[in-house]
Amino acid sequence: MSAPKLESIITCPECGASACETMPTNACQWFYECTACHAVLKPLPGDCCVYCSYGTVKCPPIQQGSSCCTGGT
């Protein structure tokens, strides 16, 4: 199995700003503060982290076909 991609572009649903971020490999990221408008993003229902909800690339555990930690919804 290939190594997961670790960079994802998060797009803020509030202001539309995008930022390239490096995903953690050892934990889910349940919150993300937009660098432009400072809105705090949380995962959408059914998603485990902000990368799965707002990123161009799903988090590393999901990419590898395993379950991710439970979301903090």
Side-chain angles (χ1 to χ4, degrees), residues 10-64:
I10 289 187
T11 301
C12 177
E14 300 292 323
C15 71
S18 296
C20 184
E21 301 289 347
T22 301
M23 296 182 278
T25 57
N26 61 348
C28 289
Q29 187 164 339
W30 293 339
F31 301 100
Y32 175 81
E33 183 177 349
C34 175
T35 55
C37 73
H38 302 286
V40 177
L41 309 182
K42 296 187 292 185
L44 296 171
D47 285 340
C48 62
C49 66
V50 294
Y51 294 104
C52 288
S53 294
Y54 306 104
T56 55
V57 177
K58 302 288 186 191
C59 68
I62 298 298
Q63 289 179 53
Q64 294 181 315

